[in-house]
Amino acid sequence: MEFLPFNLSVQDIGSSIQFAIAPIFLLVGTGSFLNVVTMRLGRVVDRARALEKMVEEGEEEMLETRHLAELRLLDNRMRYGNRAVFFCCLAAVLICFLVAVLFILDLASVPAGLVIALLFIGVVSCLSVGLLSFLQEVSLATKALRVRTEFIKRKTGNQAE
């Protein structure tokens, strides 16, 4: 049994491509999600840099305390955002390996169900950790927004709802 037979037909190759292309849709979705996470992360970094500059310039103590509290929150958001990016990138790399393995092993007619299953489990696990990290980052951002709204209402004299 040859590893890669040289008499492959166009139909055999086309079939292998069809078989291996399905995870590409998962890769596209992962890439889109990475775009969202990195855009949010960039905005968090920009806000942190602006706050750092305000603290360095020295403002009144109440504002400086508030800015430092927000910097701590932004630091946590960056940590969760970076974790989400890492695990989603890892998932994307595993998807690429999965596509290559599916294509090569289908062409070679080698059964490798366990390898494919393990790669897919790795992809889903990495995506799950990335999504959970993103959920934590969004939760922190929402919590900060809620606090600011209450702060503004208190300062303007409106009753909290």
Side-chain angles (χ1 to χ4, degrees):
M1 177 171 112
E2 290 182 48
F3 182 68
L4 283 174
F6 291 105
N7 58 356
L8 290 174
S9 70
V10 172
Q11 290 173 338
D12 290 338
I13 293 173
S15 173
S16 295
I17 290 172
Q18 280 181 325
F19 187 62
I21 204 86
I24 295 299
F25 294 108
L26 186 57
L27 184 61
V28 169
T30 302
S32 297
F33 178 68
L34 272 168
N35 188 36
V36 169
V37 176
T38 55
M39 291 299 292
R40 286 181 64 92
L41 195 54
R43 293 184 67 196
V44 169
V45 169
D46 290 344
R47 176 67 180 154
R49 297 298 176 248
L51 282 173
E52 286 172 349
K53 186 175 181 181
M54 288 180 207
V55 170
E56 283 177 353
E57 290 173 353
E59 295 185 9
E60 60 185 81
E61 192 171 324
M62 184 191 85
L63 281 178
E64 187 172 319
T65 303
R66 183 168 166 247
H67 291 330
L68 289 172
E70 187 176 351
L71 277 170
R72 281 189 286 280
L73 178 83
L74 291 173
D75 186 56
N76 284 334
R77 286 182 63 192
M78 281 188 274
R79 188 172 26 122
Y80 290 127
N82 282 327
R83 186 181 304 154
V85 168
F86 173 79
F87 280 102
C88 289
C89 282
L90 185 57
V93 169
L94 290 175
I95 293 168
C96 292
F97 285 144
L98 179 62
V99 169
V101 166
L102 281 169
F103 183 73
I104 291 168
L105 296 179
D106 189 50
L107 278 178
S109 298
V110 175
L114 180 63
V115 172
I116 293 167
L118 289 175
L119 276 171
F120 188 73
I121 289 168
V123 167
V124 172
S125 298
C126 288
L127 280 176
S128 297
V129 173
L131 287 167
L132 286 171
S133 296
F134 180 69
L135 180 62
Q136 289 173 312
E137 189 274 330
V138 169
S139 296
L140 282 175
T142 303
K143 181 180 174 183
L145 282 175
R146 206 170 292 134
V147 169
R148 279 204 187 126
T149 303
E150 292 168 2
F151 179 77
I152 291 170
K153 285 181 181 181
R154 189 177 74 224
K155 283 290 190 183
T156 58
N158 295 337
Q159 294 294 325
E161 297 170 0

